[in-house]
């Protein structure tokens, strides 16, 4: 009986690992973890020193619970979207096929149990907070993702849910945070609707009722234009309100250029323009996290610069 070559076994194991990481939306979870730490320390946390923050086990536990729940949410979403993903994301689907379905579902249960186990260690309120989060992510994948408008709205709310948790933990409410939340909500909402315009054929085939399918691209583009104009206005308000002595204010000023570019691509409607505008907006959110990081370092630790 001949043994399989070691290189083939290694390739198979790596493919399994990559399939699992992509199925659990691992790289999205890493980005959200980074965003959570940056926003928690530089936006929500106004009193704790860096040393106190580092040794605040409750904060780290809540963020870990968020990440575990996000990974579990990615797995259950992949379970319900499996057939659609085979059309819209064939490469990722092929990698995920290296792992049997039972392993994904086992990981889903383990991740949720670990998250809730850590949450109860912090407090019963944190436990309930994440129990609701996990239920909503399952319900979104099972039902809400196929209901027009509600699918986009729920997706954005679930993305922002962990940030809302940190906001409650620190009890830091201000007009600035309100406008930041509106800005991020609008950006994510626009991204999700734009994504639906790219996958509308697959969505229609598998019964996902989206704005792009119900109203057509012309009307969807008009809705996106209105949302982009509101986002542009929010960006201007934030940049003026924060003040141009702050790095983050210049980010919001530059956002106006990004939005104008997005509008141009949507209305030019050439090949790959929707894809380009989608990735531009995603990348710009990442730049926003970096801008918040550098702005926080500049104000709290200017001696480092």
């Amino acid at each position: 009986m001949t043994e399989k070559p070691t290189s083939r076994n290694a390739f198979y194991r790596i493919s399994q690992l990559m399939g699992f990481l992509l199925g659990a939306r691992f790289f999205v979870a890493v980005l959200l973890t980074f965003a959570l730490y940056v926003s928690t320390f530089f936006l929500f946390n106004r009193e704790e020193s860096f040393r106190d923050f580092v040794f605040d086990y409750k904060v780290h536990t809540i963020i870990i619970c968020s990440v575990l729940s996000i990974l579990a949410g990615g797995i259950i979403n992949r379970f319900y979207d499996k057939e659609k993903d085979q059309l819209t994301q064939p490469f990722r689907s092929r990698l995920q096929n290296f792992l049997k379905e039972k392993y994904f579902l086992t990981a889903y249960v383990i991740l949720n149990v670990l998250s809730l186990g850590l949450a109860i260690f912090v407090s019963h309120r944190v436990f309930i907070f994440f129990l609701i989060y996990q239920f909503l992510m399952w319900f979104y994948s099972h039902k809400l993702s196929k209901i027009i408008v509600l699918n986009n709205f729920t997706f954005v709310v679930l993305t922002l849910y962990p940030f809302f948790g940190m906001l409650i933990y620190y009890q830091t409410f201000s007009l600035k945070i309100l406008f930041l939340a509106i800005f991020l909500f609008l950006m994510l909402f626009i991204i999700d609707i734009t994504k639906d315009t790219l996958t509308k054929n697959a969505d229609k085939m598998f019964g996902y009722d989206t704005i792009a399918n119900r109203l057509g691209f012309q009307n969807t583009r008009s809705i996106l234009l209105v949302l982009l104009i509101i986002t542009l206005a929010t960006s201007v308000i934030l940049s003026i309100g924060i003040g141009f002595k702050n790095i983050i204010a210049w980010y919001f000023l530059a956002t106006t250029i990004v939005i104008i570019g997005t509008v141009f691509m949507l209305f030019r409607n050439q090949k790959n323009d929707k894809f380009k505008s989608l990735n531009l907006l995603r990348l710009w959110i990442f730049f926003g996290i970096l801008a918040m990081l550098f702005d926080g370092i500049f104000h709290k630790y200017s001696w480092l610069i």
Side-chain angles (χ1 to χ4, degrees), residues 78-88 93 202 205-206 208:
R78 170 223 164 260
F79 176 78
Y80 283 100
D81 288 352
K82 186 179 178 182
E83 291 181 333
K84 188 182 85 168
D85 288 344
Q86 287 174 349
L87 284 179
T88 58
S93 296
M205 189 181 298
F206 294 104
Y208 291 80

Side-chain angles (χ1 to χ4, degrees), residues 2 14 26 63 69 123 126 221 231 245 299:
T2 58
I14 291 169
F26 175 78
I63 291 176
S69 297
S123 74
V126 175
R221 189 168 59 180
T231 307
K245 290 181 180 179
H299 284 95

Side-chain angles (χ1 to χ4, degrees), residues 194-235:
T194 306
K195 180 176 66 67
D196 288 342
T197 64
L198 290 168
T199 61
K200 67 175 189 173
N201 292 330
D203 287 333
K204 191 174 184 179
M205 189 181 298
F206 294 104
Y208 291 80
D209 193 9
T210 64
I211 293 172
N213 274 326
R214 179 73 71 87
L215 302 179
F217 180 66
Q218 298 296 331
N219 291 325
T220 303
R221 189 168 59 180
S222 299
I223 291 169
L224 286 170
L225 177 62
V226 172
L227 291 171
L228 284 164
I229 291 170
I230 296 170
T231 307
L232 189 146
T234 306
S235 301

Side-chain angles (χ1 to χ4, degrees), residues 273-292:
D273 271 353
K274 287 181 283 186
F275 182 75
K276 288 175 186 176
S277 61
L278 176 65
N279 285 324
L280 174 63
L281 293 173
R282 284 172 170 168
L283 186 63
W284 195 245
I285 287 179
F286 174 68
F287 284 157
I289 299 167
L290 293 179
M292 187 182 295

Side-chain angles (χ1 to χ4, degrees), residues 30-160:
V30 169
L31 179 61
L32 283 171
T33 304
F34 177 56
L36 274 169
Y37 270 109
V38 171
S39 59
T40 298
F41 185 65
F42 291 115
L43 184 62
F44 304 138
N45 171 31
R46 291 182 176 177
E47 297 179 359
E48 276 187 334
S49 65
F50 180 73
R51 184 181 180 280
D52 291 335
F53 178 77
V54 168
F55 290 100
D56 190 342
Y57 76 93
K58 288 185 177 180
V59 171
H60 300 299
T61 305
I62 291 169
I63 291 176
I64 291 169
C65 289
S66 299
V67 174
L68 292 173
S69 297
I70 290 164
L71 290 171
I75 290 173
I76 200 63
N77 186 251
R78 170 223 164 260
F79 176 78
Y80 283 100
D81 288 352
K82 186 179 178 182
E83 291 181 333
K84 188 182 85 168
D85 288 344
Q86 287 174 349
L87 284 179
T88 58
Q89 300 175 13
F91 176 72
R92 190 172 79 177
S93 296
R94 279 197 293 270
L95 279 176
Q96 290 169 12
N97 287 335
F98 280 95
L99 270 177
K100 293 180 181 178
E101 209 65 39
K102 66 178 181 179
Y103 294 122
F104 279 108
L105 294 176
T106 301
Y108 169 72
V109 173
I110 291 171
L111 288 167
N112 276 333
V113 169
L114 277 174
S115 176
L116 293 176
L118 289 170
I120 196 69
F121 178 71
V122 178
S123 74
H124 70 279
R125 290 182 180 178
V126 175
F127 175 83
I128 293 169
F129 180 84
F130 282 104
L131 187 64
I132 293 169
Y133 189 34
Q134 290 173 12
F135 169 77
L136 287 175
M137 281 196 285
W138 167 80
F139 194 57
Y140 164 76
S141 300
H142 175 62
K143 203 77 176 175
L144 300 181
S145 62
K146 294 189 176 184
I147 302 173
I148 189 170
V149 180
L150 201 55
N151 46 20
N152 307 113
F153 180 81
T154 311
F155 167 79
V156 176
V157 169
L158 289 174
T159 304
L160 296 177

